[in-house]
Amino acid sequence: IGPVITANHGMGDPSTSIILNELLKLIHWAECRDVCVIRMGTSGGVGVEPGTLVLTETALDGCLQPYYSQMILGREIKSPSVLDDSLNDELYKCANEQGIPVVKGNTVCCEGFYEEQSRVNGALCDFTEEDKMKFLQTAHADHDVRNFEMESLVISSLCKRASVRAAVICVTLLNRFDGDQVHLAPDQLHEFETRPTELVRKYIAKKFLPPA
């Protein structure tokens, strides 16, 4: 719509990589300029209240390393996974102007939903609740982790390689320090889930529409 493209991706880095590659090719051949990519989604918060927006500064892998790893031609290739500071600053300011709760921090991007994200409520689990809490506390205190999700590594890495500004905005649906189950009323869940979209809508209006 006008200068804005919206697209859905599936869950996890692999499907996100496919759609992002297609979009990056599209904007290249269309000779677009001053492009930015903003991913919106949900996440599990770490030390933040449900409903808070997390603006990812650096995406970390499951070992808390700031790289996106790919197996290419039989070799492991690691690419930095840092998001754009200036775009984060603009979105952070916009969220504050709208009274939307927001924090900046690092995001752990995992290859799976259950054990990979330190959840103990999957079908299989070979670690304890105590092990989980120790890892979450280390991630929070020593690595500035504020949430877990499954797509930020590929977004940050591919966009950085393509010299495209990028941001990842995810709303937290729970605080992982308090448990792994979402306990929100349907109307509250809906309101929280729309917060990233509302922020981006306000940001787009601010960028492209003349002042009222």
Side-chain angles (χ1 to χ4, degrees), residues 82-100:
V82 179
L83 281 302
D84 188 84
D85 286 336
S86 63
L87 182 55
N88 270 345
D89 288 343
E90 293 173 31
L91 291 164
Y92 186 83
K93 180 180 178 181
C94 189
N96 281 320
E97 290 172 350
Q98 301 302 319
I100 301 173

Side-chain angles (χ1 to χ4, degrees), residues 171 173 184-197:
V171 66
L173 300 182
L184 297 173
D187 57 340
Q188 189 177 44
L189 176 62
H190 175 73
E191 196 267 319
F192 285 177
E193 288 178 333
T194 60
R195 285 182 178 178
T197 308

